[in-house]
């Protein structure tokens, strides 16, 4: 496909975190972009403000007649009337992942993969390279607080540059393992943050997931680089033609921390690298898991020739990602943190980080399970993670793209959680539960629509 000939592109599911960044990129290159999404959100409003047409009802007549290409997300259900129309009329149709692969195919690409950690790590890398003044385009899986969006770019596209210069542009992308989407990428540098069992509705087994990660690694360009978390074991076949580095928080990885000092929500550490030690790096966001993400991002920066001064400046000025250990209220009597955690490992990391930063405080969590299949496949692991709380408020499962599964519900999960203080309630009843519990530390956890509670909770505690 010759992307330079595209004039009108339609997005089916334009408001998704990955779809909207892609829409903004194509719009910035002069393509007429429009699309459908089920719900109006901050992201869709942002697209409309930038000049893209978005509608929120299924109506095939609103698909522009001059559409050259339709890009869709797998989250769109098969019964969607617009999708049916597009298939019947045989409009050119590709998945978002395939389009991302086409855009980045002839460019240096840094791709960050992992069942968790990839959003913060890719956003950190983007911020480091932006601070260093490099031309880049970043497609992120979350909202960067530094750039107030999920799309970060240099100025070249706005200024107009030659084809030769554009080929030098660096792309930084979040490589999504869902539906094997990341196999459309051929990165120059790949990062693997984790490969825990997840998306078993797609992969059926953890082994199949690991094999897919192996294929992703094998797609690194010849003489490219792999940065992988120490201890993550993934078999791949092209070991001899790439540079491979490991990273960790504690000693063990080629890149790791030493002399970690925690000052509230700020961390200071020395970074040990294969070529020396960089002392006294400040990280502007809290949590041991974010130290790990920072080491991964620093490894990519150092391997790419970023200076120590720019690396330090970027890590100290990094504000984080919305819904990633996102501190909403920080008072003596109450700390409220919102987090996207939707996998047992993520829950464990988030809860333990809160314990470490605020020792001795009573910790309450509101958790919304995401997907019936994930709850079914990892119900025991979820229970063990949630037992790290003092008080649990459990919401019903957010179905996303799935139909209900018989016998799989939040009651099943609650029964397996060994806590005295636990309850199930609706989103409407949450504020009443908080009034009853009076938590010292509060976490909202989940990847569904639990984010709609954040403003209500902040308002409840600040009025």
């Amino acid at each position: 496909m010759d992307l330079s000939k595209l004039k009108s592109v339609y997005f089916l599911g334009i408001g998704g975190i990955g779809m909207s960044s892609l829409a903004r990129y194509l719009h910035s290159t002069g393509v007429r972009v429009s699309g459908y999404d089920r719900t109006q959100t901050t992201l869709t409003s942002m697209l409309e403000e930038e000049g893209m047409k978005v509608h929120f009802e299924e109506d095939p007549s609103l698909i522009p007649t001059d559409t050259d290409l339709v890009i869709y997300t797998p989250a769109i259900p098969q019964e969607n009337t617009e999708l049916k129309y597009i298939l019947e009329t045989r409009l050119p149709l590709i998945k978002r992942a395939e389009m991302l692969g086409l855009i980045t195919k002839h460019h240096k690409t840094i791709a960050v993969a992992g069942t968790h950690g990839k959003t913060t790590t890719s956003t950190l890398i983007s911020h480091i390279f932006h601070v260093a003044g490099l031309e880049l385009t970043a497609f992120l899986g979350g909202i960067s607080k530094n750039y107030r969006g999920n799309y970060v770019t240099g100025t070249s596209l706005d200024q107009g540059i030659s084809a030769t210069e554009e080929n030098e542009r660096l792309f930084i992308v979040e490589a999504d393992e869902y539906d094997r989407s990341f196999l459309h990428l051929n990165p120059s540098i790949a990062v693997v943050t984790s490969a825990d069992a997840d998306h078993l509705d797609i992969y059926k087994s953890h082994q199949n997931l690991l094999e897919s990660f192996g294929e992703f690694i094998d797609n690194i360009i010849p003489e490219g680089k792999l940065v992988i978390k120490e201890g993550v074991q993934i078999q791949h076949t092209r070991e001899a033609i790439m540079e491979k580095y490991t990273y960790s928080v504690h000693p063990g990885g080629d890149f790791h921390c030493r002399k970690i000092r925690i000052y509230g929500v700020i961390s200071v550490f020395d970074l040990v690298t294969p070529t020396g030690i960089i002392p006294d790096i400040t990280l502007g966001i809290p949590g041991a898991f974010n130290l790990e993400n920072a080491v991964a991002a620093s490894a990519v920066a150092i391997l790419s020739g970023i200076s120590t001064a720019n690396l330090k400046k970027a890590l100290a000025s990094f504000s984080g990602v919305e819904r990633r250990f996102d501190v909403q209220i920080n008072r003596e009597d109450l700390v409220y943190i919102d987090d996207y955690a939707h996998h047992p490992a993520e829950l464990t990391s988030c809860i333990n980080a809160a314990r470490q930063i605020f020792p001795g405080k009573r910790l309450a969590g509101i958790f919304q399970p995401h997907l019936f299949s994930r709850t079914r496949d990892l119900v025991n692991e979820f229970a063990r993670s949630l037992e790290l709380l003092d008080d649990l408020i459990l919401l019903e499962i957010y179905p996303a793209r799935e139909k209900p599964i018989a016998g799989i519900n939040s009651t099943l999960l609650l029964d397996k959680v060994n806590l005295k203080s636990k309850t199930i309630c609706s989103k409407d009843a949450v504020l009443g539960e908080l009034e009853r519990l009076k938590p010292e530390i509060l976490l909202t956890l989940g990847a569904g629509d639990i984010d709609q509670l954040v403003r209500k909770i902040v308002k409840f505690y600040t009025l």
Side-chain angles (χ1 to χ4, degrees):
M1 181 182 296
D2 187 349
L3 300 183
S4 66
K5 293 182 178 179
L6 290 177
K7 295 181 179 179
S8 177
V9 174
Y10 187 76
F11 280 77
L12 199 53
I14 195 169
I17 195 72
M19 292 280 278
S20 57
S21 61
L22 201 57
R24 294 181 70 193
Y25 168 77
L26 290 174
H27 178 71
S28 73
T29 65
V31 174
R32 290 195 307 277
V33 173
S34 58
Y36 156 83
D37 208 281
R38 183 177 59 181
T39 307
Q40 188 169 13
T41 64
T42 302
L43 280 174
T44 60
S45 296
M46 185 185 300
L47 299 180
E48 291 178 294
E49 289 169 5
E50 293 176 12
M52 289 167 261
K53 292 184 177 181
V54 183
H55 62 272
F56 304 97
E57 67 280 358
E58 296 179 27
D59 187 349
S61 70
L62 296 177
I63 300 173
T65 56
D66 64 348
T67 295
D68 299 315
L69 178 68
V70 177
I71 301 173
Y72 78 105
T73 168
I76 292 292
Q78 291 297 311
E79 60 268 23
N80 179 279
T81 56
E82 291 196 9
L83 179 59
K84 287 182 177 180
Y85 170 81
I86 290 164
L87 293 171
E88 289 169 0
T89 56
R90 298 190 177 183
L91 277 172
L93 176 69
I94 63 172
K95 290 183 179 180
R96 171 195 170 271
E98 186 178 353
M99 187 64 179
L100 187 60
L102 290 171
I103 289 171
T104 60
K105 185 174 182 180
H106 300 295
H107 299 269
K108 180 179 179 180
T109 301
I110 298 172
V112 183
T115 46
H116 43 267
K118 57 182 176 288
T119 297
T120 299
T121 303
S122 57
T123 307
L124 260 168
I125 293 169
S126 302
H127 182 57
I128 294 168
F129 279 66
H130 196 277
V131 168
L134 299 183
E135 292 294 348
L136 64 93
T137 295
F139 300 107
L140 306 175
I143 304 298
S144 163
K145 290 187 173 182
N146 290 88
Y147 305 99
R148 298 182 179 179
N150 56 343
Y151 172 69
V152 180
T153 185
T155 57
S156 294
L157 289 175
D158 300 324
Q159 295 175 347
I161 58 176
S162 69
T164 301
E165 289 172 311
E166 174 59 15
N167 284 339
E168 297 302 315
R169 174 172 287 271
L170 168 69
F171 281 84
I172 301 170
V173 302
E174 184 170 320
D176 188 3
E177 74 279 0
Y178 175 73
D179 201 26
R180 298 177 173 83
S181 293
F182 57 0
L183 298 185
H184 290 285
L185 300 169
N186 294 99
S188 308
I189 301 177
V191 180
V192 177
T193 64
S194 51
D196 295 328
D198 200 3
H199 302 302
L200 299 184
D201 55 323
I202 298 294
Y203 288 101
K204 308 306 178 187
S205 72
H206 190 192
Q207 181 57 38
N208 289 340
L209 174 70
L210 293 173
E211 289 174 2
S212 191
F213 270 93
E215 291 180 57
F216 168 72
I217 291 171
D218 285 336
N219 281 346
I220 298 172
I221 65 170
E223 301 179 358
K225 299 179 177 69
L226 170 65
V227 177
I228 187 169
K229 181 182 174 181
E230 174 70 18
V232 175
Q233 300 296 321
I234 299 173
Q235 293 185 351
H236 51 98
T237 60
R238 296 176 55 243
E239 191 97 28
I241 60 173
M242 69 175 71
E243 296 179 36
K244 182 176 179 179
Y245 302 89
T246 59
Y247 73 92
S248 56
V249 173
H250 302 292
D254 298 317
F255 294 83
H256 64 266
C257 299
R258 70 167 196 175
K259 296 183 179 178
I260 299 170
R261 289 141 280 170
I262 307 296
Y263 306 105
V265 296
I266 300 296
S267 301
V268 181
F269 64 98
D270 297 350
L271 179 65
V272 179
T273 81
T275 57
I277 298 171
I278 304 174
D280 301 324
I281 294 176
T282 298
L283 179 63
I285 55 174
F289 57 94
N290 278 324
L291 275 174
E292 187 173 88
N293 296 332
V295 175
S298 298
V300 171
I302 291 167
L303 294 172
S304 300
I306 301 296
S307 71
T308 296
N310 279 327
L311 175 63
K312 283 188 166 185
K313 180 180 178 181
L315 291 179
S317 62
F318 184 63
S319 300
V321 182
E322 289 186 9
R323 303 220 64 232
R324 269 63 175 188
F325 212 79
D326 192 355
V327 179
Q328 300 288 324
I329 299 174
N330 189 0
R331 302 192 314 233
E332 187 66 30
D333 64 320
L334 173 71
V335 176
Y336 169 37
I337 300 166
D338 179 45
D339 197 273
Y340 191 72
H342 58 284
H343 184 280
E346 295 168 345
L347 290 172
T348 298
S349 293
C350 181
I351 297 168
N352 283 341
R355 291 278 189 208
Q356 181 184 31
I357 298 168
F358 307 104
K361 299 282 189 177
R362 189 164 185 88
L363 181 57
I366 306 168
F367 177 54
Q368 182 187 50
H370 184 263
L371 297 177
F372 295 105
S373 60
R374 182 181 283 126
T375 305
R376 175 198 62 198
D377 296 334
L378 302 173
V379 65
N380 292 319
E381 291 87 346
F382 274 121
R384 302 295 81 75
S385 297
L386 294 171
E387 288 168 359
L388 298 172
L389 297 165
D390 295 307
D391 306 290
L392 169 63
I393 300 172
L394 191 61
L395 304 181
E396 289 297 341
I397 296 171
Y398 184 79
R401 58 187 176 269
E402 291 185 336
K403 302 291 185 183
I405 299 174
I408 306 302
N409 51 46
S410 288
T411 300
L412 171 71
L413 173 56
L414 191 76
D415 288 344
K416 291 182 176 290
V417 177
N418 185 23
L419 276 181
K420 289 184 178 180
S421 178
K422 60 179 182 177
T423 189
I424 292 178
C425 75
S426 66
K427 291 195 290 292
D428 291 337
V430 162
L431 297 183
E433 286 296 317
L434 294 179
E435 177 65 27
R436 180 180 66 83
L437 289 171
K438 294 180 171 52
E440 296 176 288
I441 311 295
L442 174 64
L443 306 175
T444 43
L445 305 158
D449 62 1
I450 191 173
D451 61 312
Q452 295 175 5
L453 285 175
V454 176
R455 288 186 182 179
K456 293 180 181 179
I457 293 173
V458 171
K459 184 177 179 181
F460 175 73
Y461 282 118
T462 54
L463 283 181

